Amino acid sequence: MTTAPLRPRRSVLYMPGANERALEKAKTLDVDALILDLEDSVAPDAKAEARDRVVGAVRSGEYGHRELTIRINGLGTQWHDDDMAAAAQAGPDGIVVPKVNSADEVRQLATAMEQAGAPSHTRLWAMIETPVAILHAEEIAAASDRLAVFVMGTNDLVNETHALHVAGRAPLIPSLTWALLAAKAHGVVILDGVYNDVKDPEGFAAEARQGREMGFDGKTIIHPSQIEPANEAFAPSRADVEHARAVIEAFETAQAEGKGVATVNGKMIENLHVRDAQRILAFHDALAAR
């Protein structure tokens, strides 16, 4: 697989594939990416119709800058093979697969995508949502070049560990951190899980900020009201951008003077700070280009 260009994934919205009105509305939302869902949000007797509707949406070319992915039904379900074939032929930006538990499953999925004719730009997004997946997260992250994104399934993790949904997510922090380390070690993007209470904007904002502080690349969301706070939490602020520019300028000046380090606002600046500043500016530029 070739290296994909930098794509902001601050806000990644689940949209029910059976809901034509929702798919139409998604064309107008200021969201970075969409997960057009064929799994949990679609009743068994509506799976085939939803599949056709989602494939049509991907092929329409009417979603602008928004990254389009299709969440198919998981391995071992009666709908998986048909979902995979249809999604691969539609050629979305990604195919999202729930409950990926091992490196072998990643390789199986990557092979199925290739055999179904998925273009090279269609990447695999693996949902990490079971204790088994957490324990094998590094192996999963390293399993295939087709794999581009980890999507944390925090509701399932809470359910399977018999934990509780609490403010601050203390029961989930070890799992989130372990998956995040695995993703970062292998260059895989990682998206934080959903926040269930759409009527609690303060709680959502706090959790989004926590995810950004931990190092997540963006957040999966379930309602349009969560788009703006997710975008804000995972984008560099004006102050971040100004500081990044100051860091690069100070370091370049120091190098020109034959010095190995520089200072900005009294703090020492080294190569690692410059790399982080460059990353911030590249993300800022990617947003501005849209």
Side-chain angles (χ1 to χ4, degrees), residues 236-256:
S237 67
R238 179 179 298 179
D240 293 334
V241 173
E242 291 175 353
H243 179 72
R245 288 174 175 154
V247 164
I248 293 171
E249 181 180 354
F251 194 76
E252 289 176 347
T253 299
Q255 283 190 316

Side-chain angles (χ1 to χ4, degrees), residues 137-198:
E138 185 179 4
E139 299 165 21
I140 293 170
S144 172
D145 289 342
R146 176 79 76 163
L147 177 66
V149 178
F150 271 6
V151 182
M152 297 307 299
T154 45
N155 282 333
D156 282 86
L157 273 172
V158 168
N159 179 266
E160 294 207 16
T161 58
H162 303 165
L164 298 176
H165 288 283
V166 296
R169 299 192 292 182
L172 284 175
I173 294 300
S175 296
L176 294 173
T177 302
W178 194 255
L180 189 145
L181 289 172
K184 299 297 182 179
H186 295 282
V188 174
V189 170
I190 183 165
L191 303 175
D192 198 0
V194 301
Y195 188 81
N196 296 315
D197 189 349
V198 299

Side-chain angles (χ1 to χ4, degrees), residues 19-49:
N19 189 328
E20 185 173 5
R21 183 177 178 183
L23 296 180
E24 188 67 25
K25 180 178 177 60
K27 300 174 184 178
T28 69
L29 300 175
D30 186 25
V31 67
D32 287 341
L34 296 164
I35 297 176
L36 309 182
D37 186 33
L38 299 177
E39 196 211 12
D40 286 345
S41 68
V42 181
D45 60 357
K47 297 283 190 184
E49 181 182 356

Side-chain angles (χ1 to χ4, degrees), residues 89-173:
Q89 287 297 310
D93 294 297
I95 296 176
V96 185
V97 182
K99 289 186 170 59
V100 176
N101 288 324
S102 70
D104 284 342
E105 289 184 357
V106 170
R107 289 187 283 268
Q108 178 183 341
L109 291 164
T111 298
M113 290 172 68
E114 183 176 355
Q115 291 177 342
S120 60
H121 73 259
T122 299
R123 310 299 294 278
L124 175 62
W125 292 27
M127 294 200 69
I128 306 300
E129 47 189 342
T130 67
V132 170
I134 295 297
L135 293 173
H136 293 90
E138 185 179 4
E139 299 165 21
I140 293 170
S144 172
D145 289 342
R146 176 79 76 163
L147 177 66
V149 178
F150 271 6
V151 182
M152 297 307 299
T154 45
N155 282 333
D156 282 86
L157 273 172
V158 168
N159 179 266
E160 294 207 16
T161 58
H162 303 165
L164 298 176
H165 288 283
V166 296
R169 299 192 292 182
L172 284 175
I173 294 300

Side-chain angles (χ1 to χ4, degrees), residues 218-233:
K219 191 163 183 64
T220 48
I221 58 179
I222 57 173
H223 192 271
S225 65
Q226 297 174 334
I227 295 172
E228 183 177 352
N231 286 346
E232 180 178 353

